Amino acid sequence: MAGRIEGRTAVVTGGCSGIGLATVRRFVEEGARVVIGDIDDAAGEALVTELGGPEVVTYVHVDVTSKEEVDALFRTAKDTYGSVDIAFNNAGISPPEDDSILDTDLDAWRRVQEVNLTSVYLCCKAALPYMLEQKRGSIINTASFVAVMGAATSQISYSASKGGVLSMSRELGVQFAREGVRVNALCPGPVNTPLLKELFASDAERAARRLVHVPMGRFAEPEEMANAVLFLASDESSFMTANTFLVDGGISGAYVTPL
Ligand SMILES: NC(=O)c1ccc[n+]([C@@H]2O[C@H](COP(=O)([O-])OP(=O)(O)OC[C@H]3O[C@@H](n4cnc5c(N)ncnc54)[C@H](O)[C@@H]3O)[C@@H](O)[C@H]2O)c1
Protein backbone atom coordinates (compact mmCIF):
# COMPACT_ATOMS: atom_id res chain seq x y z
CA MET A 1 0.00 0.00 0.00
CA ALA A 2 1.35 3.48 -0.85
CA GLY A 3 -0.06 6.98 -0.65
CA ARG A 4 -1.28 6.91 2.94
CA ILE A 5 -0.09 10.50 3.47
CA GLU A 6 -0.12 11.57 -0.19
CA GLY A 7 0.41 15.29 -0.68
CA ARG A 8 0.92 16.04 3.02
CA THR A 9 3.86 18.04 4.28
CA ALA A 10 5.81 16.57 7.17
CA VAL A 11 8.54 18.09 9.33
CA VAL A 12 10.90 15.58 10.95
CA THR A 13 13.53 16.63 13.50
CA GLY A 14 16.48 14.32 13.96
CA GLY A 15 15.70 13.00 10.48
CA CYS A 16 19.30 12.18 9.56
CA SER A 17 19.70 9.08 11.73
CA GLY A 18 17.92 6.22 13.46
CA ILE A 19 14.16 6.48 14.03
CA GLY A 20 13.92 9.87 12.31
CA LEU A 21 15.75 8.65 9.20
CA ALA A 22 13.62 5.51 8.87
CA THR A 23 10.53 7.71 9.24
CA VAL A 24 11.67 10.17 6.58
CA ARG A 25 12.10 7.26 4.16
CA ARG A 26 8.68 5.81 5.08
CA PHE A 27 6.94 9.19 4.76
CA VAL A 28 8.41 9.70 1.27
CA GLU A 29 7.33 6.18 0.22
CA GLU A 30 3.79 7.09 1.28
CA GLY A 31 3.63 10.26 -0.80
CA ALA A 32 4.56 13.03 1.66
CA ARG A 33 6.93 15.92 1.13
CA VAL A 34 9.37 16.05 3.99
CA VAL A 35 11.39 18.81 5.60
CA ILE A 36 14.24 17.42 7.68
CA GLY A 37 15.62 19.47 10.56
CA ASP A 38 18.94 18.24 11.91
CA ILE A 39 22.52 19.31 12.67
CA ASP A 40 24.15 16.68 10.43
CA ASP A 41 24.46 18.75 7.25
CA ALA A 42 26.38 16.18 5.20
CA ALA A 43 23.82 13.45 5.83
CA GLY A 44 20.93 15.88 5.30
CA GLU A 45 22.15 17.10 1.91
CA ALA A 46 22.86 13.52 0.78
CA LEU A 47 19.33 12.49 1.75
CA VAL A 48 17.76 15.20 -0.39
CA THR A 49 19.57 13.80 -3.43
CA GLU A 50 18.88 10.18 -2.53
CA LEU A 51 15.15 10.64 -1.94
CA GLY A 52 14.21 12.53 -5.09
CA GLY A 53 15.48 16.10 -4.78
CA PRO A 54 13.91 19.32 -3.54
CA GLU A 55 10.49 18.55 -5.04
CA VAL A 56 10.16 15.90 -2.34
CA VAL A 57 12.66 16.56 0.45
CA THR A 58 14.25 19.69 1.91
CA TYR A 59 17.00 19.75 4.49
CA VAL A 60 17.30 22.61 6.99
CA HIS A 61 20.16 22.98 9.48
CA VAL A 62 18.38 23.29 12.83
CA ASP A 63 19.57 23.11 16.38
CA VAL A 64 16.28 22.18 18.02
CA THR A 65 17.19 24.13 21.15
CA SER A 66 17.06 27.41 19.20
CA LYS A 67 13.65 29.11 18.94
CA GLU A 68 14.71 31.11 15.87
CA GLU A 69 15.96 28.02 14.03
CA VAL A 70 12.90 25.93 14.93
CA ASP A 71 10.55 28.72 13.79
CA ALA A 72 12.49 28.93 10.51
CA LEU A 73 12.20 25.15 10.03
CA PHE A 74 8.40 25.18 10.13
CA ARG A 75 8.24 28.39 8.06
CA THR A 76 10.36 26.64 5.41
CA ALA A 77 7.86 23.77 5.26
CA LYS A 78 4.95 26.18 4.77
CA ASP A 79 6.79 28.38 2.24
CA THR A 80 8.20 25.47 0.23
CA TYR A 81 5.32 23.01 0.12
CA GLY A 82 2.29 25.11 1.17
CA SER A 83 1.25 23.47 4.46
CA VAL A 84 2.41 21.90 7.72
CA ASP A 85 0.37 18.72 8.15
CA ILE A 86 2.62 16.43 10.18
CA ALA A 87 5.26 17.29 12.80
CA PHE A 88 7.45 14.45 14.03
CA ASN A 89 9.37 16.10 16.88
CA ASN A 90 11.94 13.42 17.40
CA ALA A 91 15.50 14.78 17.83
CA GLY A 92 16.99 13.69 21.13
CA ILE A 93 20.23 12.78 22.87
CA SER A 94 21.29 10.26 25.45
CA PRO A 95 24.83 11.22 26.52
CA PRO A 96 26.89 9.06 28.90
CA GLU A 97 27.36 11.93 31.39
CA ASP A 98 23.62 11.65 32.13
CA ASP A 99 23.62 8.74 34.56
CA SER A 100 22.56 8.11 38.14
CA ILE A 101 21.38 11.29 39.87
CA LEU A 102 24.38 10.85 42.17
CA ASP A 103 26.82 11.29 39.27
CA THR A 104 24.95 13.65 36.91
CA ASP A 105 25.97 17.27 37.22
CA LEU A 106 23.76 20.28 36.54
CA ASP A 107 25.27 21.01 33.12
CA ALA A 108 24.55 17.47 31.89
CA TRP A 109 21.04 17.64 33.34
CA ARG A 110 20.31 20.97 31.61
CA ARG A 111 21.74 19.96 28.23
CA VAL A 112 19.47 16.88 28.05
CA GLN A 113 16.42 18.89 29.16
CA GLU A 114 17.12 21.47 26.42
CA VAL A 115 17.61 19.01 23.57
CA ASN A 116 14.94 16.48 24.55
CA LEU A 117 12.20 18.55 26.20
CA THR A 118 12.52 22.28 25.48
CA SER A 119 12.93 21.35 21.80
CA VAL A 120 9.54 19.63 21.76
CA TYR A 121 7.93 22.68 23.36
CA LEU A 122 9.54 24.87 20.66
CA CYS A 123 8.51 22.55 17.81
CA CYS A 124 4.89 22.25 19.00
CA LYS A 125 4.69 26.01 19.52
CA ALA A 126 5.98 26.59 15.98
CA ALA A 127 3.81 23.93 14.28
CA LEU A 128 0.47 24.63 15.98
CA PRO A 129 -0.41 28.00 14.39
CA TYR A 130 -0.16 26.48 10.88
CA MET A 131 -2.18 23.43 11.88
CA LEU A 132 -4.86 25.44 13.68
CA GLU A 133 -5.27 27.67 10.65
CA GLN A 134 -5.65 24.60 8.41
CA LYS A 135 -7.88 22.93 11.02
CA ARG A 136 -5.83 19.82 10.41
CA GLY A 137 -2.60 18.40 11.73
CA SER A 138 -0.91 15.47 13.42
CA ILE A 139 1.91 16.02 15.89
CA ILE A 140 3.94 13.05 17.07
CA ASN A 141 6.46 13.66 19.84
CA THR A 142 9.09 11.05 20.63
CA ALA A 143 9.02 10.15 24.31
CA SER A 144 10.21 6.72 25.48
CA PHE A 145 9.10 3.72 27.48
CA VAL A 146 11.15 5.22 30.35
CA ALA A 147 8.47 7.92 30.55
CA VAL A 148 6.15 5.32 32.07
CA MET A 149 8.54 2.88 33.79
CA GLY A 150 11.48 3.31 36.14
CA ALA A 151 14.92 1.89 35.36
CA ALA A 152 17.45 0.90 37.99
CA THR A 153 20.08 1.56 35.29
CA SER A 154 19.30 5.25 35.44
CA GLN A 155 19.73 8.19 33.10
CA ILE A 156 17.98 10.67 35.30
CA SER A 157 17.67 13.69 33.05
CA TYR A 158 16.74 11.59 30.01
CA SER A 159 13.91 9.84 31.87
CA ALA A 160 12.65 13.12 33.33
CA SER A 161 12.77 14.78 29.90
CA LYS A 162 10.73 11.97 28.34
CA GLY A 163 8.17 12.17 31.15
CA GLY A 164 7.84 15.85 30.28
CA VAL A 165 7.41 15.07 26.58
CA LEU A 166 4.68 12.55 27.41
CA SER A 167 2.65 14.86 29.66
CA MET A 168 3.07 17.84 27.33
CA SER A 169 1.82 15.74 24.41
CA ARG A 170 -1.17 14.53 26.41
CA GLU A 171 -2.12 18.06 27.44
CA LEU A 172 -1.78 19.49 23.93
CA GLY A 173 -3.82 16.59 22.55
CA VAL A 174 -6.64 17.40 24.95
CA GLN A 175 -6.45 21.16 24.43
CA PHE A 176 -6.66 21.04 20.63
CA ALA A 177 -8.84 17.94 20.18
CA ARG A 178 -11.81 19.89 18.83
CA GLU A 179 -9.73 21.97 16.43
CA GLY A 180 -8.59 19.20 14.11
CA VAL A 181 -5.10 18.84 15.56
CA ARG A 182 -4.06 15.53 17.10
CA VAL A 183 -1.04 15.21 19.38
CA ASN A 184 0.32 11.82 20.40
CA ALA A 185 3.48 10.59 22.10
CA LEU A 186 5.44 7.72 20.59
CA CYS A 187 7.05 5.70 23.39
CA PRO A 188 9.63 3.38 21.82
CA GLY A 189 11.26 0.53 23.65
CA PRO A 190 14.99 0.14 22.98
CA VAL A 191 15.70 0.58 19.26
CA ASN A 192 18.77 -0.50 17.35
CA THR A 193 20.06 2.99 16.42
CA PRO A 194 23.35 4.90 16.82
CA LEU A 195 21.95 6.47 20.01
CA LEU A 196 21.46 3.09 21.66
CA LYS A 197 24.64 1.56 20.20
CA GLU A 198 26.69 4.48 21.55
CA LEU A 199 25.16 4.05 24.98
CA PHE A 200 25.78 0.31 25.17
CA ALA A 201 29.03 0.02 23.17
CA SER A 202 31.12 0.63 26.27
CA ASP A 203 28.96 -1.46 28.57
CA ALA A 204 27.89 -4.93 27.40
CA GLU A 205 26.53 -5.78 30.85
CA ARG A 206 24.21 -2.78 30.72
CA ALA A 207 22.93 -3.84 27.29
CA ALA A 208 22.30 -7.39 28.48
CA ARG A 209 20.42 -6.06 31.52
CA ARG A 210 18.08 -4.13 29.25
CA LEU A 211 17.47 -7.08 26.95
CA VAL A 212 16.37 -9.33 29.81
CA HIS A 213 13.28 -7.16 30.22
CA VAL A 214 12.12 -7.31 26.60
CA PRO A 215 9.65 -10.18 26.13
CA MET A 216 10.55 -10.34 22.44
CA GLY A 217 14.21 -10.77 23.42
CA ARG A 218 15.56 -8.22 20.95
CA PHE A 219 15.77 -4.50 20.31
CA ALA A 220 13.41 -2.90 17.77
CA GLU A 221 14.56 -1.91 14.31
CA PRO A 222 14.07 1.76 13.34
CA GLU A 223 11.69 0.73 10.54
CA GLU A 224 9.33 -0.75 13.14
CA MET A 225 9.10 2.69 14.79
CA ALA A 226 8.66 4.38 11.41
CA ASN A 227 5.57 2.25 10.74
CA ALA A 228 4.09 3.31 14.08
CA VAL A 229 4.82 6.97 13.36
CA LEU A 230 3.23 6.62 9.91
CA PHE A 231 0.07 5.25 11.53
CA LEU A 232 -0.09 8.20 13.96
CA ALA A 233 0.61 10.66 11.12
CA SER A 234 -2.04 9.27 8.79
CA ASP A 235 -5.84 9.44 8.95
CA GLU A 236 -5.85 5.76 9.98
CA SER A 237 -5.39 6.99 13.56
CA SER A 238 -8.10 9.66 13.24
CA PHE A 239 -9.73 8.90 16.62
CA MET A 240 -6.43 8.90 18.51
CA THR A 241 -5.10 11.87 20.38
CA ALA A 242 -3.40 12.54 23.73
CA ASN A 243 -2.28 8.93 23.50
CA THR A 244 0.68 7.14 25.06
CA PHE A 245 1.62 5.00 22.07
CA LEU A 246 3.93 2.31 23.43
CA VAL A 247 5.85 0.33 20.82
CA ASP A 248 8.06 -1.65 23.12
CA GLY A 249 8.18 -5.37 22.30
CA GLY A 250 6.02 -6.06 25.36
CA ILE A 251 8.26 -4.42 28.00
CA SER A 252 5.53 -2.42 29.71
CA GLY A 253 3.20 -5.42 29.86
CA ALA A 254 5.68 -7.85 31.37
CA TYR A 255 6.20 -9.02 34.91
CA VAL A 256 8.44 -11.98 34.12
CA THR A 257 9.86 -12.44 30.63
CA PRO A 258 10.44 -15.78 28.88
CA LEU A 259 14.03 -16.99 28.71
N1 LIG B 1 17.14 4.35 20.27
C1 LIG B 1 16.37 4.05 21.28
O1 LIG B 1 16.49 2.98 21.89
C2 LIG B 1 15.28 4.98 21.72
C3 LIG B 1 14.32 4.52 22.63
C4 LIG B 1 13.31 5.38 23.06
C5 LIG B 1 13.28 6.68 22.57
N2 LIG B 1 14.23 7.11 21.70
C6 LIG B 1 14.16 8.49 21.24
O2 LIG B 1 14.01 8.50 19.84
C7 LIG B 1 14.54 9.71 19.30
C8 LIG B 1 15.48 9.37 18.17
O3 LIG B 1 16.51 8.56 18.68
P1 LIG B 1 17.46 7.70 17.75
O4 LIG B 1 17.77 6.49 18.51
O5 LIG B 1 16.91 7.60 16.38
O6 LIG B 1 18.76 8.66 17.79
P2 LIG B 1 19.95 8.91 16.76
O7 LIG B 1 21.10 9.35 17.58
O8 LIG B 1 20.11 7.78 15.81
O9 LIG B 1 19.41 10.17 15.91
C9 LIG B 1 19.17 11.40 16.53
C10 LIG B 1 19.24 12.50 15.48
O10 LIG B 1 18.99 13.75 16.14
C11 LIG B 1 19.94 14.69 15.68
N3 LIG B 1 20.17 15.71 16.72
C12 LIG B 1 20.82 15.55 17.90
N4 LIG B 1 20.86 16.72 18.56
C13 LIG B 1 20.20 17.63 17.78
C14 LIG B 1 19.91 19.00 17.92
N5 LIG B 1 20.33 19.73 18.99
N6 LIG B 1 19.23 19.62 16.93
C15 LIG B 1 18.81 18.92 15.84
N7 LIG B 1 19.06 17.63 15.65
C16 LIG B 1 19.75 16.98 16.62
C17 LIG B 1 21.19 13.89 15.39
O11 LIG B 1 22.07 14.59 14.49
C18 LIG B 1 20.60 12.62 14.78
O12 LIG B 1 20.43 12.74 13.39
C19 LIG B 1 15.19 10.43 20.47
O13 LIG B 1 14.30 11.42 20.97
C20 LIG B 1 15.39 9.34 21.48
O14 LIG B 1 15.43 9.81 22.80
C21 LIG B 1 15.23 6.29 21.26
Side-chain angles (χ1 to χ4, degrees):
M1 187 175 20
R4 289 158 68 186
I5 46 174
E6 190 74 43
R8 306 266 167 100
T9 305
V11 174
V12 178
T13 68
C16 288
S17 175
I19 298 168
L21 173 59
T23 303
V24 169
R25 292 187 197 283
R26 198 76 187 86
F27 279 1
V28 169
E29 276 171 21
E30 296 290 338
R33 291 154 310 188
V34 181
V35 179
I36 301 169
D38 205 297
I39 47 177
D40 187 345
D41 297 345
E45 301 297 350
L47 269 173
V48 173
T49 308
E50 182 201 317
L51 294 174
E55 299 282 297
V56 185
V57 178
T58 297
Y59 171 74
V60 181
H61 178 95
V62 179
D63 180 340
V64 287
T65 65
S66 158
K67 181 172 185 333
E68 291 70 29
E69 293 181 23
V70 167
D71 287 348
L73 170 70
F74 286 89
R75 205 179 317 119
T76 299
K78 172 73 175 173
D79 292 350
T80 309
Y81 300 122
S83 61
V84 179
D85 305 302
I86 298 159
F88 182 36
N89 304 321
N90 164 75
I93 56 170
S94 178
E97 55 273 22
D98 176 25
D99 202 282
S100 158
I101 192 168
L102 302 175
D103 305 318
T104 302
D105 68 22
L106 190 55
D107 285 345
W109 165 271
R110 284 191 171 138
R111 177 77 190 135
V112 172
Q113 293 297 315
E114 283 284 299
V115 178
N116 289 9
L117 179 57
T118 306
S119 68
V120 175
Y121 152 79
L122 291 174
C123 288
C124 291
K125 196 172 166 65
L128 275 162
Y130 299 109
M131 295 180 170
L132 291 170
E133 197 189 340
Q134 297 163 187
K135 300 189 176 7
R136 184 178 82 178
S138 176
I139 296 177
I140 303 107
N141 296 324
T142 306
S144 167
F145 71 105
V146 300
V148 298
M149 305 182 76
T153 313
S154 181
Q155 286 185 281
I156 194 61
S157 187
Y158 183 89
S159 293
S161 74
K162 295 304 186 178
V165 170
L166 178 60
S167 38
M168 179 168 25
S169 307
R170 186 190 301 130
E171 187 146 302
L172 294 176
V174 171
Q175 183 180 356
F176 297 108
R178 298 191 183 194
E179 296 179 66
V181 179
R182 300 185 294 111
V183 186
N184 292 293
L186 175 78
C187 295
V191 186
N192 202 5
T193 68
L195 180 140
L196 190 81
K197 284 178 193 156
E198 185 187 317
L199 184 66
F200 289 149
S202 55
D203 197 339
E205 194 191 323
R206 196 170 183 163
R209 264 181 82 179
R210 278 281 169 93
L211 219 41
V212 162
H213 300 287
V214 189
M216 287 190 176
R218 65 175 178 85
F219 296 141
E221 292 305 318
E223 291 72 23
E224 295 177 293
M225 292 304 139
N227 282 328
V229 181
L230 173 65
F231 172 67
L232 292 173
S234 78
D235 293 341
E236 289 163 29
S237 58
S238 54
F239 200 53
M240 287 178 63
T241 197
N243 192 274
T244 304
F245 200 65
L246 279 153
V247 186
D248 66 354
I251 296 175
S252 57
Y255 171 48
V256 177
T257 54
L259 284 175

